[in-house]
Amino acid sequence: MSVAQLSAMPVRDAATAHAMFAYAQQLGGGRGVTFRLPPPEPTTCCGRGCNGCVWEGFVTAANYWREDAVALLNGNP
């Protein structure tokens, strides 16, 4: 397990985001680092593939969460 692997994990949807969150939590737990809660999954998707879909926002938020997690794991609060 490494921070580099966490940084390289793709986040494209809920499943890949949850895998990344779990991997980060394992890394953090092993190093005594705690993170803020991951972003919640959207509950308002209409399923029409809208431009600016709430899932796009979730993926963006998940990537920002990862950036914060990587910074904490690297000792940069």
Side-chain angles (χ1 to χ4, degrees):
M1 293 169 113
S2 73
V3 176
Q5 287 174 307
L6 174 63
S7 295
M9 290 182 81
V11 176
R12 295 180 299 272
D13 53 25
T16 56
H18 286 292
M20 182 272 294
F21 297 147
Y23 187 80
Q25 295 291 352
Q26 286 180 323
L27 280 174
R31 298 174 185 209
V33 176
T34 57
F35 307 111
R36 63 183 167 87
L37 293 175
E41 280 190 35
T43 59
T44 59
C45 181
C46 65
R48 291 184 288 172
C50 303
N51 186 21
C53 177
V54 294
W55 285 103
E56 292 173 16
F58 172 74
V59 168
T60 299
N63 282 307
Y64 283 128
W65 185 93
R66 175 182 32 207
E67 289 176 14
D68 290 346
V70 167
L72 286 170
L73 289 166
N74 285 328
N76 301 318

